């Protein structure tokens, strides 16, 4: 009777925590009571900036066990943050609209990517967390936060990371440095195919999301997401951290997937962040395998079907040598070059490779042409 009363009281005070504990357990009541007791202790002693580390399979669970009983103090964590394993961390981070770790793990169907997950309600940056601890976690580890206050964008820009967005980073390794620039294109394609897979599972029409070169995702002329890939070289490998931001449910500052879906469907269908992440990582694993074995050329036609630029005309501003005069030249985008830049032709059918000039926030407004 005491156990039953305690469960009811806990459910009343902490409904979201109660749901997580029940989902976690095929436990008997006595073990459940012990879990409640440890939960109260954890809530009393650990701050909300706890980072939960959760494993999909026994191999990752063994890794977590070894980490928590050995080298956790060697990790570079955000100031004031603690790493908490499994159930207790999920309880501390529990929130009615927080990322659903348990449902994500049930949805995930990969061999490598995403099977070890670091989750926090709020982080400075998921990208920084993995970059600073790359060798501490298995390749394929993913980091997720509900809110970021120091999100990373291209060229050192800040990526806005409000609630309602799917913000995650994950790790991988590559040996061929010439292929690394194409990785952002594979990730962008995986994000769109992941959205498509979730929409298909719900039998709803997918909103039109397109890739804006090199690594932005657009819908209805507005940015809805972006991809950031950073790498370091060590021991003959490129250690890559991939960051993705996708606006799922926040109508500000531009547009979100839920708004697009509501415009297409009479039913109030929504996409959850946990199912999107599981689908995106699943699609990435398939595409990445093709990319490694056959190169980007095997994915190029898929990529072009998803991007904005085939046949697009871009106006370049060029300063004449020895003069302050600026001339404008129109070129038509044809595709990607073998080095990953844009291939274009002018009115005389001369071919050029277009490079960003490094000064423009919008790459397509700061291009320099190099004759091929």
């Amino acid at each position: 009777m005491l156990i039953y009363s305690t469960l009811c009281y806990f459910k009343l005070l902490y409904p979201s925590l109660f749901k997580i504990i029940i989902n976690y357990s095929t436990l008997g009541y006595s073990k459940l009571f012990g879990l409640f007791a440890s939960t109260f202790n954890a809530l009393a002693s650990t701050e909300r900036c706890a980072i939960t580390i959760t494993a999909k399979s026994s191999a990752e669970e063994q890794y977590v066990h070894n980490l928590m009983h050995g080298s956790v103090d060697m990790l570079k964590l955000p100031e004031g943050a603690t790493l908490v394993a499994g159930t207790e961390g999920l309880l501390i981070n529990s929130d009615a609209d927080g990322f659903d770790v348990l449902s994500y793990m049930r949805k995930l169907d990969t061999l490598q990517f995403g099977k070890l997950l670091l989750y926090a309600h709020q982080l400075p940056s998921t990208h920084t967390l993995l970059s600073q601890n790359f060798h501490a976690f298995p390749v394929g580890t993913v980091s997720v936060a509900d809110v970021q206050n120091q999100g990373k964008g291209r060229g050192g820009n800040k990526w806005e990371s409000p609630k309602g967005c799917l913000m995650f980073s994950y790790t991988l390794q590559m040996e061929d440095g010439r292929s690394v620039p194409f990785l952002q294109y594979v990730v962008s394609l995986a994000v769109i195919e992941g959205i498509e897979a979730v929409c298909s599972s719900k039998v709803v029409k997918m909103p039109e999301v397109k890739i804006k070169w090199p690594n932005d995702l657009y819908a209805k002329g507005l940015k809805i997401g972006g991809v950031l890939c950073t790498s370091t070289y060590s021991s003959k490998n490129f250690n890559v951290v991939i960051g993705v931001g996708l606006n799922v449910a926040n109508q500000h500052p531009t547009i979100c997937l839920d708004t697009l879906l509501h415009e297409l469907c009479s039913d109030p269908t929504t996409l959850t962040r946990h199912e999107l992440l599981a689908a995106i990582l699943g699609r990435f694993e398939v595409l990445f395998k093709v990319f490694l074995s056959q190169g980007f050329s095997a994915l190029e036609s898929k990529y072009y079907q998803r991007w904005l630029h085939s046949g697009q005309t871009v106006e370049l501003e060029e300063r004449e040598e020895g003069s302050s005069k600026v001339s404008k030249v129109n070129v038509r985008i044809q595709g990607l070059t073998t080095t990953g830049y844009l291939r274009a032709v002018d009115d005389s059918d001369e071919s050029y490779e277009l490079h960003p000039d490094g000064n423009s926030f919008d790459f397509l407004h700061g291009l320099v042409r190099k004759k091929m």
Side-chain angles (χ1 to χ4, degrees), residues 5 17 19 21 29 44 46 50 52 62 82 106 108 133 136 159 169 212 225 229 235 253 312 327 335:
S5 299
L17 304 190
K19 180 181 177 183
I21 291 179
Y29 270 117
T46 310
T52 302
Q62 184 61 52
T82 56
R106 286 193 287 266
L108 185 69
N133 298 283
W159 173 256
S169 301
K212 180 183 177 185
C229 299
S235 303
Q312 179 182 354
S327 61

Side-chain angles (χ1 to χ4, degrees), residues 6 67 73 198 260 277 279 346 351:
T6 303
L67 176 68
D73 291 338
V198 175
L260 296 170
L277 179 56
D346 62 15
S351 294

Side-chain angles (χ1 to χ4, degrees), residues 23 58 167-168 194 216 245 265 278 286 300 331 337 339 349 367:
N23 281 341
S58 57
M167 282 130 358
F168 67 96
D216 287 334
C265 309
V286 172
E300 209 162 10
V331 294
T337 67
T339 54
D349 284 333
L367 294 171

Side-chain angles (χ1 to χ4, degrees), residues 171-193:
T171 61
L172 60 81
Q173 284 185 322
M174 295 179 64
E175 295 181 358
D176 185 2
R178 294 169 298 180
S179 299
V180 172
F182 290 90
L183 188 59
Q184 60 190 330
Y185 309 146
V186 181
V187 179
S188 299
L189 182 57
V191 173
I192 293 180
E193 290 195 358

Side-chain angles (χ1 to χ4, degrees), residues 60 87 115 129 164 209 217 233 239 280 296:
E60 288 81 29
T87 313
K115 295 177 70 175
L129 177 62
V209 180
L217 301 171
Y233 185 73
N239 300 323
I280 290 168
F296 186 72

Side-chain angles (χ1 to χ4, degrees), residues 281-301:
L281 291 176
R283 289 308 306 153
F284 176 79
E285 187 164 274
V286 172
L287 296 172
F288 187 60
K289 183 177 180 181
V290 174
F291 176 54
L292 287 182
S293 62
Q294 302 177 44
F296 186 72
S297 59
L299 302 174
E300 209 162 10
S301 62

